[in-house]
mmCIF file of all heavy atoms in Angstrom:
data_model
loop_
_atom_site.group_PDB
_atom_site.id
_atom_site.type_symbol
_atom_site.label_atom_id
_atom_site.label_comp_id
_atom_site.label_asym_id
_atom_site.label_seq_id
_atom_site.Cartn_x
_atom_site.Cartn_y
_atom_site.Cartn_z
ATOM 1 N N VAL A 48 -13.840 -6.735 -2.243
ATOM 2 C CA VAL A 48 -12.378 -6.591 -1.877
ATOM 3 C C VAL A 48 -11.762 -8.027 -1.708
ATOM 4 O O VAL A 48 -10.789 -8.344 -2.208
ATOM 5 C CB VAL A 48 -12.112 -5.747 -0.683
ATOM 6 C CG1 VAL A 48 -10.763 -5.863 -0.180
ATOM 7 C CG2 VAL A 48 -12.507 -4.346 -1.005
ATOM 8 N N LEU A 58 -8.918 -4.774 -8.309
ATOM 9 C CA LEU A 58 -9.482 -4.632 -6.979
ATOM 10 C C LEU A 58 -10.228 -3.194 -6.830
ATOM 11 O O LEU A 58 -11.243 -3.175 -6.477
ATOM 12 C CB LEU A 58 -8.455 -4.689 -5.887
ATOM 13 C CG LEU A 58 -8.890 -4.493 -4.398
ATOM 14 C CD1 LEU A 58 -9.914 -5.499 -4.019
ATOM 15 C CD2 LEU A 58 -7.668 -4.549 -3.581
ATOM 16 N N THR A 59 -9.462 -2.169 -7.182
ATOM 17 C CA THR A 59 -9.986 -0.832 -7.002
ATOM 18 C C THR A 59 -11.228 -0.675 -7.994
ATOM 19 O O THR A 59 -12.253 -0.189 -7.424
ATOM 20 C CB THR A 59 -8.979 0.227 -7.417
ATOM 21 O OG1 THR A 59 -7.864 0.026 -6.521
ATOM 22 C CG2 THR A 59 -9.376 1.524 -7.249
ATOM 23 N N SER A 62 -14.225 -3.351 -7.147
ATOM 24 C CA SER A 62 -14.976 -3.138 -5.896
ATOM 25 C C SER A 62 -15.874 -1.910 -6.095
ATOM 26 O O SER A 62 -16.954 -1.861 -5.580
ATOM 27 C CB SER A 62 -14.150 -3.117 -4.702
ATOM 28 O OG SER A 62 -13.227 -1.946 -4.780
ATOM 29 N N ALA A 93 -18.268 5.683 -4.294
ATOM 30 C CA ALA A 93 -17.169 6.485 -3.737
ATOM 31 C C ALA A 93 -16.615 6.013 -2.453
ATOM 32 O O ALA A 93 -15.506 5.981 -2.148
ATOM 33 C CB ALA A 93 -17.708 7.981 -3.639
ATOM 34 N N ALA A 94 -17.551 5.580 -1.556
ATOM 35 C CA ALA A 94 -17.072 5.108 -0.234
ATOM 36 C C ALA A 94 -16.280 3.841 -0.387
ATOM 37 O O ALA A 94 -15.262 3.586 0.226
ATOM 38 C CB ALA A 94 -18.300 4.938 0.652
ATOM 39 N N ALA A 95 -16.685 2.862 -1.274
ATOM 40 C CA ALA A 95 -15.954 1.707 -1.586
ATOM 41 C C ALA A 95 -14.561 2.005 -2.043
ATOM 42 O O ALA A 95 -13.602 1.385 -1.703
ATOM 43 C CB ALA A 95 -16.678 0.717 -2.475
ATOM 44 N N ARG A 96 -14.518 2.854 -3.093
ATOM 45 C CA ARG A 96 -13.200 3.352 -3.697
ATOM 46 C C ARG A 96 -12.363 3.846 -2.524
ATOM 47 O O ARG A 96 -11.072 3.529 -2.506
ATOM 48 C CB ARG A 96 -13.397 4.264 -4.783
ATOM 49 C CG ARG A 96 -12.127 4.627 -5.423
ATOM 50 C CD ARG A 96 -12.337 5.568 -6.651
ATOM 51 N NE ARG A 96 -13.176 4.882 -7.546
ATOM 52 C CZ ARG A 96 -12.963 4.823 -8.842
ATOM 53 N NH1 ARG A 96 -11.915 5.387 -9.367
ATOM 54 N NH2 ARG A 96 -13.801 4.107 -9.677
ATOM 55 N N ALA A 97 -12.817 4.794 -1.704
ATOM 56 C CA ALA A 97 -12.075 5.351 -0.620
ATOM 57 C C ALA A 97 -11.584 4.317 0.348
ATOM 58 O O ALA A 97 -10.409 4.351 0.787
ATOM 59 C CB ALA A 97 -12.878 6.456 0.082
ATOM 60 N N GLY A 98 -12.413 3.297 0.608
ATOM 61 C CA GLY A 98 -12.050 2.223 1.540
ATOM 62 C C GLY A 98 -10.865 1.423 0.970
ATOM 63 O O GLY A 98 -9.928 1.086 1.658
ATOM 64 N N VAL A 99 -10.911 1.076 -0.303
ATOM 65 C CA VAL A 99 -9.880 0.321 -0.933
ATOM 66 C C VAL A 99 -8.551 1.057 -0.974
ATOM 67 O O VAL A 99 -7.509 0.622 -0.679
ATOM 68 C CB VAL A 99 -10.293 -0.105 -2.338
ATOM 69 C CG1 VAL A 99 -9.095 -0.638 -3.136
ATOM 70 C CG2 VAL A 99 -11.353 -1.197 -2.320
ATOM 71 N N GLN A 100 -8.660 2.402 -1.309
ATOM 72 C CA GLN A 100 -7.505 3.250 -1.356
ATOM 73 C C GLN A 100 -6.823 3.354 0.037
ATOM 74 O O GLN A 100 -5.678 3.394 0.231
ATOM 75 C CB GLN A 100 -7.766 4.579 -1.902
ATOM 76 C CG GLN A 100 -8.034 4.515 -3.461
ATOM 77 C CD GLN A 100 -8.498 5.811 -3.976
ATOM 78 O OE1 GLN A 100 -8.922 6.707 -3.375
ATOM 79 N NE2 GLN A 100 -8.268 5.949 -5.408
ATOM 80 N N TYR A 101 -7.669 3.477 1.105
ATOM 81 C CA TYR A 101 -7.216 3.467 2.460
ATOM 82 C C TYR A 101 -6.406 2.272 2.794
ATOM 83 O O TYR A 101 -5.287 2.330 3.331
ATOM 84 C CB TYR A 101 -8.387 3.720 3.435
ATOM 85 C CG TYR A 101 -7.972 3.549 4.868
ATOM 86 C CD1 TYR A 101 -7.237 4.563 5.483
ATOM 87 C CD2 TYR A 101 -8.239 2.381 5.472
ATOM 88 C CE1 TYR A 101 -6.854 4.363 6.803
ATOM 89 C CE2 TYR A 101 -7.857 2.143 6.858
ATOM 90 C CZ TYR A 101 -7.225 3.263 7.508
ATOM 91 O OH TYR A 101 -6.818 3.093 8.799
ATOM 92 N N GLU A 102 -6.966 1.070 2.439
ATOM 93 C CA GLU A 102 -6.285 -0.235 2.759
ATOM 94 C C GLU A 102 -4.933 -0.264 1.942
ATOM 95 O O GLU A 102 -3.975 -0.759 2.534
ATOM 96 C CB GLU A 102 -7.142 -1.450 2.357
ATOM 97 C CG GLU A 102 -8.332 -1.554 3.439
ATOM 98 C CD GLU A 102 -7.773 -1.762 4.833
ATOM 99 O OE1 GLU A 102 -6.753 -2.400 5.099
ATOM 100 O OE2 GLU A 102 -8.391 -1.218 5.841
ATOM 101 N N GLN A 103 -4.988 0.169 0.756
ATOM 102 C CA GLN A 103 -3.700 0.210 -0.059
ATOM 103 C C GLN A 103 -2.652 1.111 0.549
ATOM 104 O O GLN A 103 -1.494 0.704 0.574
ATOM 105 C CB GLN A 103 -3.961 0.607 -1.503
ATOM 106 C CG GLN A 103 -4.735 -0.428 -2.328
ATOM 107 C CD GLN A 103 -5.147 0.032 -3.769
ATOM 108 O OE1 GLN A 103 -5.501 1.162 -3.937
ATOM 109 N NE2 GLN A 103 -4.991 -0.872 -4.678
ATOM 110 N N ARG A 104 -3.062 2.204 1.015
ATOM 111 C CA ARG A 104 -2.112 3.278 1.720
ATOM 112 C C ARG A 104 -1.512 2.454 2.975
ATOM 113 O O ARG A 104 -0.347 2.535 3.269
ATOM 114 C CB ARG A 104 -2.706 4.463 1.969
ATOM 115 C CG ARG A 104 -2.803 5.370 0.861
ATOM 116 C CD ARG A 104 -3.261 6.882 1.303
ATOM 117 N NE ARG A 104 -4.499 6.959 1.993
ATOM 118 C CZ ARG A 104 -5.686 6.997 1.451
ATOM 119 N NH1 ARG A 104 -5.850 7.012 0.215
ATOM 120 N NH2 ARG A 104 -6.821 7.042 2.225
ATOM 121 N N LYS A 105 -2.427 1.767 3.744
ATOM 122 C CA LYS A 105 -1.942 1.131 4.840
ATOM 123 C C LYS A 105 -0.906 0.062 4.521
ATOM 124 O O LYS A 105 0.132 -0.121 5.217
ATOM 125 C CB LYS A 105 -3.154 0.398 5.705
ATOM 126 C CG LYS A 105 -3.718 1.315 6.717
ATOM 127 C CD LYS A 105 -4.889 0.640 7.508
ATOM 128 C CE LYS A 105 -4.699 -0.868 7.895
ATOM 129 N NZ LYS A 105 -5.727 -1.417 8.518
ATOM 130 N N ILE A 106 -1.229 -0.756 3.517
ATOM 131 C CA ILE A 106 -0.301 -1.851 3.140
ATOM 132 C C ILE A 106 1.037 -1.231 2.611
ATOM 133 O O ILE A 106 2.047 -1.752 2.948
ATOM 134 C CB ILE A 106 -1.004 -2.646 2.045
ATOM 135 C CG1 ILE A 106 -2.088 -3.565 2.782
ATOM 136 C CG2 ILE A 106 0.027 -3.522 1.246
ATOM 137 C CD1 ILE A 106 -2.931 -4.320 1.882
ATOM 138 N N HIS A 107 0.966 -0.146 1.885
ATOM 139 C CA HIS A 107 2.187 0.560 1.409
ATOM 140 C C HIS A 107 3.024 0.990 2.533
ATOM 141 O O HIS A 107 4.248 0.898 2.603
ATOM 142 C CB HIS A 107 1.898 1.571 0.362
ATOM 143 C CG HIS A 107 1.276 1.059 -0.815
ATOM 144 N ND1 HIS A 107 0.546 1.886 -1.748
ATOM 145 C CD2 HIS A 107 1.198 -0.185 -1.399
ATOM 146 C CE1 HIS A 107 0.064 1.141 -2.733
ATOM 147 N NE2 HIS A 107 0.494 -0.109 -2.553
ATOM 148 N N GLY A 108 2.335 1.461 3.616
ATOM 149 C CA GLY A 108 2.953 1.967 4.800
ATOM 150 C C GLY A 108 3.697 0.895 5.526
ATOM 151 O O GLY A 108 4.778 0.998 6.051
ATOM 152 N N GLU A 109 2.981 -0.373 5.659
ATOM 153 C CA GLU A 109 3.693 -1.504 6.154
ATOM 154 C C GLU A 109 4.970 -1.923 5.444
ATOM 155 O O GLU A 109 5.960 -2.213 6.127
ATOM 156 C CB GLU A 109 2.647 -2.649 6.225
ATOM 157 C CG GLU A 109 1.485 -2.622 7.070
ATOM 158 C CD GLU A 109 0.416 -3.683 6.857
ATOM 159 O OE1 GLU A 109 0.678 -4.581 5.928
ATOM 160 O OE2 GLU A 109 -0.550 -3.752 7.652
ATOM 161 N N SER A 134 -0.795 -7.768 6.010
ATOM 162 C CA SER A 134 -2.041 -8.202 6.880
ATOM 163 C C SER A 134 -3.233 -8.534 6.001
ATOM 164 O O SER A 134 -4.035 -9.345 6.386
ATOM 165 C CB SER A 134 -2.266 -7.094 7.895
ATOM 166 O OG SER A 134 -2.532 -5.863 7.252
ATOM 167 N N LEU A 135 -3.446 -7.786 4.964
ATOM 168 C CA LEU A 135 -4.488 -8.012 3.947
ATOM 169 C C LEU A 135 -3.859 -8.477 2.638
ATOM 170 O O LEU A 135 -3.031 -7.761 2.123
ATOM 171 C CB LEU A 135 -5.338 -6.751 3.702
ATOM 172 C CG LEU A 135 -6.571 -6.494 4.555
ATOM 173 C CD1 LEU A 135 -7.174 -5.207 4.179
ATOM 174 C CD2 LEU A 135 -7.592 -7.627 4.311
ATOM 175 N N ILE A 137 -4.042 -8.029 -0.396
ATOM 176 C CA ILE A 137 -4.478 -7.297 -1.706
ATOM 177 C C ILE A 137 -3.220 -6.804 -2.504
ATOM 178 O O ILE A 137 -3.318 -6.262 -3.552
ATOM 179 C CB ILE A 137 -5.398 -6.085 -1.520
ATOM 180 C CG1 ILE A 137 -4.789 -5.044 -0.608
ATOM 181 C CG2 ILE A 137 -6.735 -6.584 -0.954
ATOM 182 C CD1 ILE A 137 -5.580 -3.849 -0.393
ATOM 183 N N GLU A 138 -2.057 -7.069 -1.918
ATOM 184 C CA GLU A 138 -0.752 -6.842 -2.597
ATOM 185 C C GLU A 138 0.096 -8.049 -2.350
ATOM 186 O O GLU A 138 0.018 -8.795 -1.367
ATOM 187 C CB GLU A 138 -0.100 -5.552 -2.017
ATOM 188 C CG GLU A 138 -0.861 -4.361 -2.201
ATOM 189 C CD GLU A 138 -0.400 -3.534 -3.413
ATOM 190 O OE1 GLU A 138 0.614 -3.793 -3.970
ATOM 191 O OE2 GLU A 138 -1.221 -2.708 -3.808
ATOM 192 N N ALA A 205 -0.242 6.714 -7.468
ATOM 193 C CA ALA A 205 -0.478 8.008 -6.722
ATOM 194 C C ALA A 205 -0.578 7.671 -5.247
ATOM 195 O O ALA A 205 -0.577 8.503 -4.381
ATOM 196 C CB ALA A 205 -1.646 8.701 -7.169
ATOM 197 N N LEU A 206 -0.647 6.286 -4.873
ATOM 198 C CA LEU A 206 -0.855 5.979 -3.513
ATOM 199 C C LEU A 206 0.462 5.608 -2.863
ATOM 200 O O LEU A 206 1.167 4.778 -3.385
ATOM 201 C CB LEU A 206 -1.820 4.701 -3.347
ATOM 202 C CG LEU A 206 -3.230 4.948 -3.929
ATOM 203 C CD1 LEU A 206 -4.014 3.655 -3.931
ATOM 204 C CD2 LEU A 206 -3.858 5.953 -3.036
ATOM 205 N N GLN A 207 0.849 6.199 -1.716
ATOM 206 C CA GLN A 207 2.015 5.824 -1.075
ATOM 207 C C GLN A 207 1.720 4.705 -0.228
ATOM 208 O O GLN A 207 1.754 4.409 0.845
ATOM 209 C CB GLN A 207 2.600 7.082 -0.279
ATOM 210 C CG GLN A 207 3.068 8.087 -1.265
ATOM 211 C CD GLN A 207 3.856 9.160 -0.458
ATOM 212 O OE1 GLN A 207 4.724 8.824 0.180
ATOM 213 N NE2 GLN A 207 3.392 10.380 -0.679
#
Side-chain angles (χ1 to χ4, degrees):
V48 168
L58 174 65
T59 302
S62 62
R96 183 177 299 227
V99 169
Q100 289 176 339
Y101 170 77
E102 287 302 321
Q103 287 175 320
R104 282 191 303 275
K105 266 183 40 180
I106 285 171
H107 296 158
E109 290 172 358
S134 57
L135 264 176
I137 61 174
E138 299 264 340
L206 299 173
Q207 292 190 53

